[in-house]
Amino acid sequence: MSILIGRDTRLVVQGITGREGEFHARAMVEYGTPLVAGVTPGKGGQRVLDGRVPVFDTVHDAVRETGANTSCIFVPAAGAPDAVMEAVDAGIGTIFCITEGIPALDMIPVVESVRAAGARLIGPNCPGATSPGRAKVGIIPGSVHREGRVGVVSRSGTLTYEAVQAMTDAGLGQSTCVGIGGDPIVGTTFLDVLQLFANDPETGAIVLIGEIGGAAEEQAAEWAGQHLRDVPMAAFIAGRTAPEGKRMGHAGAIISGNAGTAASKVEALETAGIRVAGSPTELPALLRAAGLAG
Amino acid sequence: MKIQEADAKSLLLAQGMPVPPWEVARTPAEAGAAAERAIAAGADSVVVKAQVLVGGRGKAGGVKLAGSAAEAEAVAAGILGMDIRGITVRKVLVSAAADIVKEFYLSAVVDRASRRILLIGSAEGGVEIEHVAEHNPDAITYLRADPIRGLLDHQARRFAFAMGLGAHWKEGAAIARGAVRTMLANDADLVEINPLAIVRETGPDGAVAERLVCLDAKITLDDSALPRHPELETLRDPDEEDPADRAAREAGIAFIKLDGTIGCMVNGAGLAMTTMDLVKRAGGEPANFLDIGGGARADKVAAAMRLILADPKVVAILVNIFGGITRGDEVARGLIEARSVQERDVPMVVRIVGTNAAAAARLLTEARFETAATLDEAAAKAVAAARAAAKVAARVAGSPA
């Protein structure tokens, strides 16, 4: 089954004729993702990726003509919130927003509208998701993955690749890897993804990769402590050496006073019975120690 | 981006908020003249406040009262040039000292958990809200603005009553709406008024009246929104921006200087933090956080190298690249080029994996760079190199001339 994406995914890429959009759309197709359409206003009727993918002017057209049900957005920050709204209005159920640098206040009404429409937004400022062997949506390099039963959820991009590569090298494959994004306001939280993994029969273990800022890791840990006691879990938290009051690259990675520290997150996870690795390379051993066979 | 109190007050004033008049002075004489004008307008005394972007200026002696123009000039002479938590004071704010009846707290923040604008209010003003939250959490009232329609009038009224503003509820509701308006107009992620105060004022006719005013203001702006607010770019204080920070910002590199000796160059914020953490874990101290971003080219790598080497404390460099969008061979070429022109040679440990890693490895081997396969190995090697460099430095320093 996997979560968020899978065999029934029919993907439309918004911003497919841009440099980033086209580069990553090609990688998605090469991975075997069912990419059925692209959208760039004014370029409807063209075909991209060696003629394999039709381009439409609007998401509505793409949905009507191709039955697209999932969107991946590479539209620049100024237009990205509206691109999410366009996908919602066109009836897309799962929306990945890769775009970085969207003002936080722009996302507040967008996240609420997505929720009210019963759709799901992942991101913004996220690397997307991969269900190894089936589909990849976003920018995570396909080469780091291997098929398996570990669900991975993370706020980062390259750190996720690092952790997933460590698991693949240790022979632990993944069911789905999801990057939820490094911004303060995101559509899908750690807790949301844990709940999806909990209901996925193909996910048998979970890795959570958090970082300083906010309290989403603490909230997820509390829920996991109550509901996922029988699921092998391990975690990693980036930013133990980060100073207070500085934004560490990600808009959301900031310690405010004594809130959002790595220590607070590590403590919450350990209280919930989840061991926290000192390095991403230790995650496979921690998962096995927590009871994951393989 | 943080902005100074005087600039924050200007943004509040632009939204029609009640802010008592103030002037900004750069010299003691200017401060004295400003005090003279305030006193001529009816003030008994003035307050002189250091304009710096760090907290705790009151405790540091950066806020003082003065009863005359001469005293204000003397007080300003003491504050200007003062060092507050590493920042030199170059400006002071001068305004009439308020006759405070009662202090409150009011702020609007972008709340991550509820994904809404959150108003925070308290009848315990003039102290840090974190302190109130810890010692008297019931004294704080919260209200979440509607995510689509914004803060509604009835919400603002309910908030003002809950804050304990009593007879001043109408002014309080207007200030709550004004705080949200200020936030939206400027893309702020924090608008904090502390204290919000009931002050007693004597009019020209001698009549005494009480009103609610914003006595201090703190605003932080969302960096992601600055491109659409060119007018706010002028509020960036060149006196307080470190030259390295400016160079990093202009090169599009996320850079934060720390105190250690091992310079770090990484792609991706989470991985950059992890690299710092692993340097520390291996027994070293990171000199910086540095994220060159996705898809970085050779010129960006060279700019990052300059930033790292500009810190004289750096004795070793750790480069950690996990190529996704970023191509490993591009980074390797950038490193080779940067090393050929840099003035200072320090040991470097390079780890490049992911996209085009094999080509990168060939280039690095030819150029005789020290490489590492894993992040743990790279951290250990960088720490060993830093220790060796420290020993050499100690020997040189200890050797007879």
Side-chain angles (χ1 to χ4, degrees), chain B residues 149-165:
Chain B
R149 294 173 295 170
L151 182 69
L152 306 171
D153 285 357
H154 76 268
Q155 288 189 306
R157 284 198 298 274
R158 189 151 51 91
F159 181 73
F161 284 119
M163 265 182 74
L165 284 166

Side-chain angles (χ1 to χ4, degrees), chain A residues 18 21 37 57 76 93 103 149 175 207 212 232 235 254 279 289:
Chain A
D57 286 322
R149 296 180 51 77
S175 55
V207 165
I212 56 160
I254 182 164
S279 163

Side-chain angles (χ1 to χ4, degrees), chain A residues 19 24 101 103-106 108-109 111-113 141 144 155-156 158-159 161-162 165 184-187 211-214 236 238-241 243 247-250 252 278-279 281-282, chain B residues 2 110-112 115-117 147-148 183-184 187-189 222-225 228 254 256 258 267-271 273-274 276-278 280-281 289 297 320 322-325 351 375-376:
Chain A
R19 200 171 70 97
H24 292 291
L105 288 170
D106 289 7
I108 289 176
V111 164
E112 174 62 16
S113 302
V144 301
R155 263 166 78 184
S156 297
T158 50
L159 173 57
Y161 317 163
E162 184 85 48
Q165 183 78 63
I185 306 286
V186 291
E211 64 188 34
I212 56 160
F236 179 77
R240 290 178 196 240
T241 51
R247 229 168 263 282
M248 306 300 282
H250 286 151
S279 163
T281 52
E282 293 170 359
Chain B
K2 293 178 183 172
V110 172
D111 181 47
R112 306 160 71 126
R115 291 174 279 197
R116 280 162 172 57
I117 292 174
I148 306 285
M183 171 170 256
L184 294 170
D187 278 302
D189 34 43
D222 182 348
D223 293 335
S224 296
R228 67 183 177 203
I256 290 160
L258 303 169
N267 66 325
L271 192 56
M273 279 189 270
T274 302
M276 285 163 35
D277 295 350
L278 292 186
K280 175 92 176 174
R281 192 167 185 246
F289 165 93
R297 302 287 175 94
N320 183 31
F322 203 117
I325 320 178
R351 176 202 181 225
L375 179 47
D376 301 286

Side-chain angles (χ1 to χ4, degrees), chain A residues 123-210:
Chain A
N125 190 15
C126 82
T130 306
S131 287
R134 295 169 195 182
K136 101 178 179 97
V137 175
I139 63 174
I140 304 176
S143 59
V144 301
H145 297 289
R146 137 185 197 142
E147 283 180 63
R149 296 180 51 77
V150 183
V152 179
V153 58
S154 169
R155 263 166 78 184
S156 297
T158 50
L159 173 57
T160 314
Y161 317 163
E162 184 85 48
V164 171
Q165 183 78 63
M167 280 187 280
T168 293
D169 290 347
L172 294 181
Q174 306 91 43
S175 55
T176 304
C177 300
V178 189
I180 58 173
D183 276 1
I185 306 286
V186 291
T188 295
T189 64
F190 277 122
L191 178 54
D192 296 331
V193 177
L194 288 190
Q195 289 172 341
L196 292 172
F197 279 140
N199 291 318
D200 176 26
E202 290 185 10
T203 297
I206 300 171
V207 165
L208 182 151
I209 299 164

Side-chain angles (χ1 to χ4, degrees), chain B residues 32-45:
Chain B
E36 180 126 34
R37 284 187 285 271
I39 290 166
D44 293 332
S45 56

Side-chain angles (χ1 to χ4, degrees), chain B residues 168-324:
Chain B
H168 292 278
W169 66 270
K170 221 176 241 182
E171 296 156 82
I175 289 168
R177 286 197 306 272
V180 171
R181 219 163 43 237
T182 304
M183 171 170 256
L184 294 170
N186 301 286
D187 278 302
D189 34 43
L190 168 74
V191 175
E192 183 180 69
I193 302 160
N194 188 25
L196 170 70
I198 299 173
V199 297
R200 194 176 288 121
E201 291 176 335
T202 310
D205 55 351
V208 174
E210 287 184 0
R211 66 173 187 137
L212 196 60
V213 296
C214 308
L215 282 190
D216 197 352
K218 183 170 155 189
I219 292 180
T220 61
L221 304 170
D222 182 348
D223 293 335
S224 296
L226 285 175
R228 67 183 177 203
H229 295 287
E231 78 284 3
L232 297 177
E233 194 57 44
T234 58
L235 303 185
R236 195 186 293 279
D237 188 342
D239 296 339
E240 284 202 32
E241 193 178 30
D242 190 86
D245 291 346
R246 190 174 320 143
R249 184 166 54 78
E250 285 165 6
I253 293 168
F255 175 82
I256 290 160
K257 196 183 161 326
L258 303 169
D259 281 337
T261 58
I262 299 175
C264 301
M265 186 192 305
V266 189
N267 66 325
L271 192 56
M273 279 189 270
T274 302
T275 304
M276 285 163 35
D277 295 350
L278 292 186
V279 163
K280 175 92 176 174
R281 192 167 185 246
E285 290 291 338
N288 63 275
F289 165 93
L290 192 156
D291 170 14
I292 58 171
R297 302 287 175 94
D299 55 340
K300 216 168 185 182
V301 172
M305 193 58 74
R306 280 195 298 275
L307 275 172
I308 293 171
L309 286 172
D311 177 356
K313 281 173 81 177
V314 168
V315 296
I317 295 175
L318 168 48
V319 179
N320 183 31
I321 303 295
F322 203 117

